[in-house]
Structures are given as C-alpha cells and as structure tokens.
Amino acid sequence: MVALGGGTGLSTLLRGLKEYVTRRRDPVNLKHPIGDLTAIVTVTDDGGSSGRLRRENRILPPGDIRNCMVALSQDEALLGRLFQYRFHAGHGLVGHNFGNLFLAALTHVTGDFAEAVRVSSKVLAIRGRIFPSTLSNVSLAATLEDGRKVHGETRITASRKPIKKLTLLPRNVRPLPRALEAIQQADLILLGPGSLYTSILPNLLIPEIVNAIAKSRAPRVYISNLMTQPGETSGYALADHLRAIEKHTPRRVIDWVVANRQGVSPEVAKRYRAQGAEPVAINIPELQKLGYRIVLDNLLEQHGVIRHNPTRLARLLLEEFLSGSHRAHE
C-alpha cells in the first residue's frame, strides 16, 4: 500500500493504517492485512523550523517526514513526544523541533537524506517505510488567477488568492528510485487527505511519479479533504479538487474518491467559517459525470479541530479496496 502526500493529512491516514501492518517476519493475516506500507512525502516546505534548516544546512525540509515517522512509530508516547518536542528558548534553537534537528544531524553524518530517514525510522521502530518523493532541492511556484507569480510554499499559502497553475522548480526532477518501485508494486495507491496545492500536487508534478501512478493497475483512491483551505481552495467543491489534479497531470491518476458524509457541528463550523473555511461540498452526479466512483462514510472527528478519524478511515479503506470481495474489482 502506498500513500502520497504531506502535512497533517498524511500522518492522520498513516496513524490509522499502521495498526493493520504485519509485524516483521510475520505472515500477512486477516488481522494485519498490510504487508508493506509506504509513505511518499512531498519536500517543498520552506517555512518554520524545516525552512530554516533547509536554508542554513542545505538539507531537504524534514518536518512532514518527521510527522509521518511519529505517526508510524510503535511507541508514539515517549519517542513521539521527543521527536515532536519544540525548543522554546535558546539562541538559534528556539522554534526548532528535536526531530528536525535529529534528521538534519543524521543527514550530515550519513551524507544522504534518504539514509537519515531510514536510520531514524529504525530508531522509532516504525511500521512502514517513508521516502521523500525526490532528493532534489525543489520549490513551488504558482501563477494566480490575477496573473501574479508567487514563489515558495509559504508565500503561496499566505497569498489567499485563487491558484491557476502550479509548477515545480526545477521542473524535471528525478524521484527517489525506491519511491517509484513502491508505486509500481502497490496493490492500493492513496492520495490525500492534505492541502491540494502544497501537499498533494507537488508529488504529482514529478513526471516519473505521475507516470507510474497512471500506469498502475491498482485501485487509485483520492481521500477528500473535510474542509476547504482559505486561499488555496476557497469555494472549491470536491469536483473542483479533482479537476485541479486533472489539469496538472497529463494522464488519469484517480479512479475512486472517498469522502465524508457526516455533518460538522454548528459551533465548530462557525469557528472555521470565521477563518474562511467551509466543509467541502460533494455533488455525486457531477463526480460520476467526471468518471469517478465514490465511497461515502462517517469519517469525522471533531474536538475543536476537524480531522479524519484515523481508525474509521483505515477500516473503510481496507474493507473497500483490500478485502477479497471489494467492489473495486467487480
């Protein structure tokens, strides 16, 4: 199983799926049907601790990868807390994250970011594998609807203007070969949830990755976001998210869409609305007209913030796409 993305969405998805991954050397069984879980993570972040390490140490941004590691770790309690620990004092240290510094140090020790991720993953005893989508120093550029060009993930997110086109700089970067291999061998490919323009699309702008997904015979599933994102996807219905992906990819990369049908509580919705975010609207006839097959379920977890329920989402994905009787192979 391969999941592509970044940010909070991917780590939420992995947190649910890890419970179904077989322990090393154990055979795949009904209780643990996932023999191999691979996360392919976008590396375009240029803000916060990740951005500072990227600029000062010439390494890839570690933040999203660190979040995925913690989500897949067996001991999320102590080691997870350690890797997520943020320094609140100390000249040069303040604002940095221990896990980010650990990955930065290991990158210099091993001379290779992908190797640093592999070694850190062993320290955290993660259930799965994590690969950056590329080892190239890539950044994002967006052309906005008003014609302006904006460079860098942080500026794109902050611009709060509709995005017309997204590009990767440099354009023709090579993916990590093992990430490509994982896609080619996958029985299920998952995209999302996550920021459309800064978590999902950056991976799909790498030509070899998008071609591998397009060629795959495995079910290719897009997990819809629960809420729109101010600026990036203001006013976007689910069909608009999918059209944006179609516009940026030369070939079809999604067959199935998984979306939430559960209502958001009025007080939480009100707070999100004040920030410019709304629940993502789902128009089933429109999605069917675009050629997508849809699975709806109650996938919401709301404790002040709105997130996917990791357990319910994982169970749904396994029942729909990995069980012998699943509808995707009818």
Side-chain angles (χ1 to χ4, degrees):
M1 190 184 286
V2 171
L4 298 97
T8 327
L10 182 57
S11 45
T12 301
L13 173 67
L14 297 175
R15 191 165 279 118
L17 290 173
K18 81 169 172 196
E19 301 303 331
Y20 297 95
V21 177
T22 48
R23 308 291 196 280
R24 230 175 249 134
R25 289 183 291 276
D26 279 3
V28 171
N29 53 56
L30 285 173
K31 209 171 167 198
H32 300 103
I34 305 172
D36 179 49
L37 175 59
T38 302
I40 298 173
V41 187
T42 181
V43 283
T44 52
D45 191 4
D46 59 4
S49 168
S50 282
R52 279 166 62 197
L53 287 169
R54 186 177 181 171
R55 288 186 296 277
E56 293 164 15
N57 289 270
R58 297 267 184 271
I59 68 158
L60 288 176
D64 283 356
I65 283 176
R66 180 202 78 239
N67 282 332
C68 290
M69 275 186 201
V70 171
L72 285 175
S73 68
Q74 289 189 39
D75 180 8
E76 239 185 291
L78 180 60
L79 279 172
R81 267 168 51 212
L82 174 66
F83 263 57
Q84 298 292 48
Y85 177 77
R86 197 175 289 277
F87 292 91
H88 299 289
H91 182 67
L93 265 184
V94 69
H96 271 309
N97 194 287
F98 176 78
N100 287 357
L101 295 175
F102 187 87
L103 275 167
L106 254 181
T107 301
H108 290 298
V109 169
T110 62
D112 177 26
F113 185 74
E115 182 60 12
V117 172
R118 193 185 69 80
V119 174
S120 308
S121 298
K122 282 177 89 169
V123 170
L124 283 176
I126 73 165
R127 290 191 210 163
R129 301 182 297 161
I130 299 170
F131 298 131
S133 52
T134 178
L135 291 177
S136 303
N137 184 10
V138 286
S139 61
L140 289 175
T143 306
L144 306 179
E145 288 290 358
D146 61 11
R148 277 193 312 128
K149 283 192 163 50
V150 184
H151 287 266
E153 184 178 307
T154 312
R155 284 199 186 113
I156 291 168
T157 305
S159 72
R160 295 286 174 112
K161 292 279 189 297
I163 295 164
K164 191 177 177 184
K165 192 173 194 304
L166 193 72
T167 46
L168 212 52
L169 301 173
R171 276 170 193 259
N172 275 334
V173 296
R174 299 296 307 275
L176 197 72
R178 277 172 296 171
L180 211 54
E181 211 172 273
I183 294 168
Q184 288 158 351
Q185 293 170 358
D187 295 309
L188 179 60
I189 296 170
L190 305 170
L191 294 161
S195 301
L196 176 63
Y197 288 100
T198 51
S199 290
I200 310 299
L201 278 172
N203 290 325
L204 297 177
L205 293 175
I206 300 172
E208 285 179 72
I209 283 187
V210 84
N211 286 339
I213 297 170
K215 280 182 192 158
S216 175
R217 303 282 300 275
R220 301 164 303 179
V221 182
Y222 176 70
I223 301 159
S224 169
N225 290 343
L226 301 166
M227 306 295 285
T228 61
Q229 201 167 343
E232 272 199 42
T233 57
S234 289
Y236 273 43
L238 178 47
D240 297 314
H241 286 75
L242 293 158
R243 279 194 203 97
I245 291 171
E246 286 177 4
K247 197 168 96 175
H248 285 85
T249 52
R251 293 164 64 193
R252 185 89 171 196
V253 291
I254 295 164
D255 317 296
W256 287 80
V257 180
V258 166
N260 170 59
R261 65 175 172 210
Q262 195 177 340
V264 176
S265 76
E267 61 272 22
V268 176
K270 189 179 169 186
R271 198 163 63 252
Y272 270 82
R273 203 174 301 119
Q275 296 162 10
E278 300 274 351
V280 173
I282 300 159
N283 182 329
I284 291 173
E286 195 178 0
L287 294 167
Q288 288 170 333
K289 209 161 77 184
L290 290 169
Y292 296 105
R293 287 175 281 182
I294 306 120
V295 177
L296 297 176
D297 206 343
N298 297 339
L299 299 171
L300 203 57
E301 195 169 84
Q302 42 188 341
H303 307 294
V305 293
I306 291 172
R307 295 268 183 271
H308 281 88
N309 179 309
T311 309
R312 278 209 298 264
L313 179 58
R315 202 176 300 136
L316 174 74
L317 292 168
L318 293 175
E319 282 168 7
E320 286 292 334
F321 303 105
L322 284 190
S323 69
S325 62
H326 87 72
R327 288 175 274 172
H329 286 298
E330 274 177 14

